Amino acid sequence: MTNEQALAPGKLYIAGEYAVVDGCAAIVAAVNRYVKVTVDDDNLLIRDSHGKTYNSCDFNKNESEKNNLKKLDLPTFYGKITSESKNYKPLYWKRGIFGREFILDEKDAEDITMSAKDSTDACDLPAEKSPATSDEQNQDSQIKKLKKIYSYVFSAMQIVDDFARETKEVKNVLLDEGNTAINLYNLQIESDLDDKKTGKKYGLGSSAAVTVAAVRALCKWYGLTLTTPELCKLAIIASSLVKKSGSGGDVAASAYGGWVMYRAYNREWLEAEIEMIESGDSSLHKLLIKKWPRFEVKRLKVGAGLRLLVGWTGNPASSAELVGSVKAGVKAGDLTAHNPSKTSAKTYSKTYEDFCVQSEKCVQKIANALENGRIDALLSGFARNRALLKDLGEITGTLIETPKLTRLIEVANGAGLPSKTSGAGGGDCGIAIARAEDFDAVFARIEEEWQNSGIEALNLKVAEFDESGDLSLIEQRKDDHIKLACEQYDAHADAGFEHVRFIPNALPQLALSDVDTSVSVFDESTKWDTPLYINAMTGGSKKGENINESLARVAAKTGLAMASGSLSAALKNPRLAETFSVIRRFNPQGFVMANVSAGASAEQAIKAVEILQANALQIHLNAAQELVMSEGDRDFSAWLNNIETIVSALDSMKVPVVVKETGCGMSAHDVLRLKNVGVRAVDVGGRGGTNFVAIENARRGRKSDYEFLDSWGLTTVESLLDIAQCDEILCEPRDSSDSCNSARMQVFASGGVRTPLDVVRSLRLGASAVGVAGEFLHTLINEGEDALVEQIESWKAQIRVIMALLGCKNIEDLRENSRILIDDKPCVI
Ligand code: FNR
């Protein structure tokens, strides 16, 4: 059972549009909206010759079920292609008799495809074939439509299949001809290139992104390793088979990420090469190794000093149609309608040649300006490119710069920014470039003016890549964590709280209004009104940024302290800093904790605090997660030393440090070791809630070798009890000579806290305050920000109610005077 995922970003043209089609240079930037493709073979549809359907997962459990599969009468296996977009219905596919051809429109597949619109579960499909109806023609055209919609995916499937077949040593290769059951998979497409809620299409190059993501995911699925240039070429081949006229610039940006200088391949040459492969005289492998005439992709080194601004004018444009219109105009040379002085086709072609020469010069100038961060040179370069495109539009009778795009450019120019249309024009997006330090101020101003003219400012940035070419690995991981934490959320997970029961107090002898839930944390001078905080979760991706923004607003409204997710991504890549600093932006007055790994240096820890202007720092311990994560760390030998150095550096800045686990808990022994290197606060981060071992096991995809670690660690309650029984941890110094080591250790509790009663139980077991991650994330994602505010406000009130029930006026009173049973036995701590 295998499950692989890959991301590819959308793109925007920065310069050199139209001329790129004829081999001139262009600049294209990948933007931080992505298409994600998931390939899995877990739940294939099987149909026997009687039309009865099964799910392949029903035959995977044990040997006897596998034998049952063998007994099926002529079973046919189907993979399913799905997209989350409402407009894209699922499409079923199967292999032909020789395992090579993909069959979509055979009658069986057709019935299944059509039935699928009413069903999300393949096993629910009708067992019997629908009789042929008078709607048959209708169905034919539906199939054609679906094939067209999925044409890029389908082409990627075919190309990677051929590529895998050429690779003898590859595991899983499709050599078992005649066996149509093997190497079938389901392929799922998710995209955030367009606005999911409103259906607005921003023209960010979804065909290219879907092709790149599909090639990348399928290569992973076959166990094929591709370099970025190979991925780019393979995706260009797949895409050229669907659309002959494209330049491939969008594919290159999607494959390489970042800012890309691109020169198109020679189309006729590539067509001839593909023909040679089809006739058996060459191979995809040979074609990838060859130098492609004229073809050039180069990453531009554009520093963090420049930021892209993007406005959407609201009219989706068809690049293919616009390019076609310009080409037709150039060929015909008969543009009397637009140009009264009749000119011959020859003159137009000369004019077009000149346009290409000028465009090339202009693009080189813009590339230089981008790499050197020169706004002045960008102003003249963009203005020149804009003028060239305007002329081209006029001479060919094509509306490239619409009145709205003109307005977009004028507003940006008015703010001193270089600006132009992006891509084929005719609507869609315009771009501007700003200095990073001016970005916030300029964006606010331009956004308003654009809005007044009906132009939407898009919150886009140039998408990152890492040097391995595995684009946005970090961003993908962050998104996986959020997705899997939500999927694995279990309202009844066992963090040990059910073992802790309060002995009721029938005579509370106080009023609800007497209860004070405030706690002093860290240095006694810091007071939180409620002993509750939003624990570390995210940052480092677009989705993470949005969640951080929401959580920050929630924290500001409810007065709760909050922690960011690990800032490692931002420390590696400064452009991701904003996905964290958004917390401070939306919660300027709140108590905010930054979060770094125990492998961080003191400088990195200080930087993390600075990015968030944080009040405290969390250092996370996650050895189990790292070891299960395929790309995780393997060396933890310096952790305790690092922690000591960080604590000492932050001590001099008066920034308190909390060392926290992330779901495997902490023993008293661990806490003592931390205390001995100067740590004064820990968060036990116990087992029973969000489970990062299980999350990483799910990310590993195939049946993970580490499932046995899913229940690794101490629960939150076990951790608290172990710590509570260790006098050395909790003792307070009597005087300066006391061996009890300067100050008292503060213990925070987190891990599997699902109710206000769990909060009070944790406080009773010694916690100074209680952190919640998974439960709050679950509410936020499923019910939204307002619901989370409501939940937190209810918890705050309910914590007071429970304390009143116990007759406890404050947290100290609760700790000292309430009585508990653990597993029905009186507990003395
Ligand atoms: C986390 N957690 C976490 N912790 C940390 O120290 N740094 C991090 O970057 C993250 N990232 C993260 C992402 C997501 C999506 C979740 C849900 C959680 C762990 C978190 O702070 C907490 O310790 C555990 O989740 C256990 O608490 P819950 O979720 O059971 O309340």
Side-chain angles (χ1 to χ4, degrees), residues 481 485 535-537 565-566 595 620 660-662 689-690 692 751-752 772-774:
H481 286 168
N535 217 346
M537 276 185 265
S566 167
N595 184 294
H620 68 256
K660 77 181 279 280
E661 238 296 340
T662 49
T690 306
F692 269 92
V772 181

